[in-house]
């Protein structure tokens, strides 16, 4: 035990020095990474097309290489899925991460190179533990197993020995033996593709394990927690796993779920640690006790650029470098990665909370907002409003989505919400009023439109029965950690589909 503790401590301290290096020298680290990425891809089809061999600086790169969406890169990726190599990245790529991002039926397939696995996803996973141990030196988290729900994976029928699946499944499938030894459930259960059976089997096979940490998406982890408590007859997760000490969470904001998790786990000293990861890469880790910001990871094979949201809809938006970002402003993220995503719009927006070190807060999605009347409500606004309304009415939220109510003859516009609760508000009208009031506080455009109901009337809220979202997602074949309910949409497709499913 002492030998293991000493080894973990030595490795953790060594890596913390490297983390501190990119915190102190962010621009130099990113510049060096940029040169490596461009040089590595100079003989690929993409690199030849844009003359990578003669690109010596970021300005030339920006002038030659266009901003790309998934639709732009899709023809290249389709060829890679069919087995062609050296297209976007020089090393052989056989794994492709399936990413829907929303409840849309159409999936995206993101190439996952061996460099992306080793130098981004795995590296970030190790650093997540490193940062946690650095902040909690008396932790016993390494003396038990980490529970991860995981996604599913399938063979690529277009190309032998190639896999398509959720990024969590690809990561698990390629884990070294020592890492597999430290996690639960076993790989066969973790990669099951039928969601409800998987939850049942995870519960059955992990109840007797010494689980010390859990990693997952809050919405789906709650489903597992409830299944385990139902199966064991216990009141709290701490009765099932007495050594459980930390939940590593990502994909959706944790604020609306925090109180629910605390009550289900039943430990006052439970730790919660936020991460920012996606099919395209691992971008941020909460490195302080402030759960409102994430350290931007700068030496993980991802080169960052940013588009100010004030420029986003322009034909030729201004793109700025890390050194030029301003604290408090919203930016769309543009990434260049060691898997061949070149100047790729990931679809997320962030605000910087500090520089040196660079820390961010995820503020929303470039396509997930409501702006039917010039109100520009983003996910961050919605989550703050939900949190305030829950606090005022002793409520706990499970899931929510919102959409505009369009102007009609003789009728003003507004916003319509569908919200499912773990604990329903003790006063529904107060909940509505608090949510509206908080939105007006945090968003001046919304406030201006709500002034004397000039353009927007008070929001309409549907208070849904338990499992409403779960049943809706199930009916669409969208159960599982890679499928997320869009919090906001500037159209009514999701909301109308959800409400129709309740009839």
């Amino acid at each position: 035990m002492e030998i293991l503790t000493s080894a973990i401590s030595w490795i953790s301290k060594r890596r913390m020095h490297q983390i501190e290096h990119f915190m102190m020298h962010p621009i130099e680290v990113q510049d060096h990474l940029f040169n490596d990425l461009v040089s590595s891809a100079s003989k690929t089809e993409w690199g030849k097309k844009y003359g990578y061999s003669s690109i010596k600086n970021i300005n030339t790169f920006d002038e030659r290489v266009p901003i790309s969406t998934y639709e732009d890169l899709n023809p290249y990726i389709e060829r890679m899925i069919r087995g062609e190599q050296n297209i976007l990245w020089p090393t052989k790529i056989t794994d492709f991460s399936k990413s829907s991002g929303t409840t849309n039926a159409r999936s995206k397939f993101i190439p996952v190179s061996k460099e992306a696995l080793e130098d981004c996803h795995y590296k970030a996973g190790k650093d997540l533990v490193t940062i946690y141990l650095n902040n909690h030196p008396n932790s016993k988290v390494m003396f038990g197993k980490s529970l991860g729900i995981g996604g599913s994976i399938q063979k690529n029928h277009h190309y032998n020995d190639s896999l398509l699946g959720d990024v969590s499944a690809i990561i698990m499938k390629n884990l070294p033996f020592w890492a597999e030894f430290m996690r639960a459930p076993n790989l066969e259960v973790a990669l099951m593709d039928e969601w409800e059976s998987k939850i049942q089997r995870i519960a059955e096979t992990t109840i007797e394990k010494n689980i010390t940490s859990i990693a997952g998406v809050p919405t789906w982890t709650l489903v597992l927690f409830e299944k385990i408590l139902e199966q064991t007859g216990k009141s709290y997760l701490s009765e099932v796993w007495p050594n459980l000490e930390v939940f590593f969470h990502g994909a959706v904001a944790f604020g609306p779920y925090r109180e629910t998790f605390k009550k289900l786990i039943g430990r006052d000293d439970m730790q919660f640690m936020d991460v920012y990861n996606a099919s395209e890469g691992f971008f941020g880790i909460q490195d302080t006790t402030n759960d409102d910001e994430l350290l931007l990871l700068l030496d993980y094979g991802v080169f960052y650029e940013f588009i100010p949201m004030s420029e986003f809809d322009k034909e030729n938006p201004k793109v700025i470098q890390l050194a030029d970002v301003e604290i408090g402003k919203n930016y769309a993220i543009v990434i260049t990665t060691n898997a061949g995503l070149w100047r790729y719009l990931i679809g997320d927006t962030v605000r910087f909370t500090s520089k040196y070190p660079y820390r961010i807060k995820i503020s929303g999605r470039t396509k997930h907002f409501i702006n039917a009347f010039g109100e520009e409500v983003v996910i961050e606004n919605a989550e703050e409003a939900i949190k305030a309304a829950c606090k005022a009415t002793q409520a706990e939220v499970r899931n929510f989505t919102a959409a505009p109510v369009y102007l009609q003859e003789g009728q003003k516009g507004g916003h319509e919400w569908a919200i499912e609760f773990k604990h329903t508000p003790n006063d529904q009208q107060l909940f509505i009023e608090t949510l509206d009031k908080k939105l007006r506080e945090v968003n001046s455009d919304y406030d201006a439109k709500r002034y004397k109901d000039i353009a927007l009337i008070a929001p309409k809220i549907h208070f849904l029965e338990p499992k409403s979202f779960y049943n809706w997602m199930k009916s669409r074949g969208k159960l599982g950690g890679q499928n997320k309910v869009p919090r906001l949409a500037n159209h009514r497709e999701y909301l109308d589909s959800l409400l129709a499913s309740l009839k």
Side-chain angles (χ1 to χ4, degrees), residues 6 8 14 63 65 73 90-91 169 174 202 205 226 277 378 382 439:
S6 298
I8 292 171
R14 184 183 181 201
E63 289 169 3
V65 183
L73 295 184
T91 59
N174 290 282
I202 290 175
T205 59
E226 289 169 349
N277 63 324
V378 298
L439 278 176

Side-chain angles (χ1 to χ4, degrees), residues 68-87:
S68 296
T69 64
Y70 183 78
E71 287 69 27
D72 297 323
L73 295 184
N74 185 52
Y76 298 92
I77 295 173
E78 286 289 337
R79 291 168 56 197
M80 295 164 70
I81 289 174
R82 294 181 181 276
E84 292 190 52
Q85 299 293 338
N86 204 37
I87 304 296

Side-chain angles (χ1 to χ4, degrees), residues 4 19 28 39 44 81-82 91 121 147 153 176 180 207 228 272 316 324 332 339 347 359 370 437 446 464 471 487 500:
L4 179 60
I19 294 171
E28 294 91 331
S39 174
T44 63
I81 289 174
R82 294 181 181 276
T91 59
H121 292 289
L147 190 155
I153 204 165
E180 178 61 24
I207 285 171
I228 287 171
F272 300 98
N316 295 300
D324 301 317
R359 293 194 178 98
I370 303 179
K437 180 182 178 183
Y446 178 85
L464 304 188
N471 292 333
R487 300 304 198 202

Side-chain angles (χ1 to χ4, degrees), residues 140-148 181-186 202-203 205-215 221 224-225 228 237-248 265 267 270:
K140 299 294 189 294
V141 71
M142 299 301 291
F143 300 114
K145 289 184 178 289
S146 176
L147 190 155
F181 175 76
M182 300 179 71
R183 58 164 304 282
N186 64 50
I202 290 175
T205 59
T206 59
I207 285 171
E208 300 300 326
K209 303 287 187 183
N210 178 27
I211 302 297
T212 54
S213 67
I214 297 174
T221 304
L224 174 64
F225 282 6
I228 287 171
L237 263 296
S238 58
E239 297 177 89
V240 181
W241 299 316
N243 297 318
L244 178 63
E245 63 173 89
V246 60
F247 175 45
F248 301 112
I265 293 168
R267 283 189 61 171
M270 182 69 183

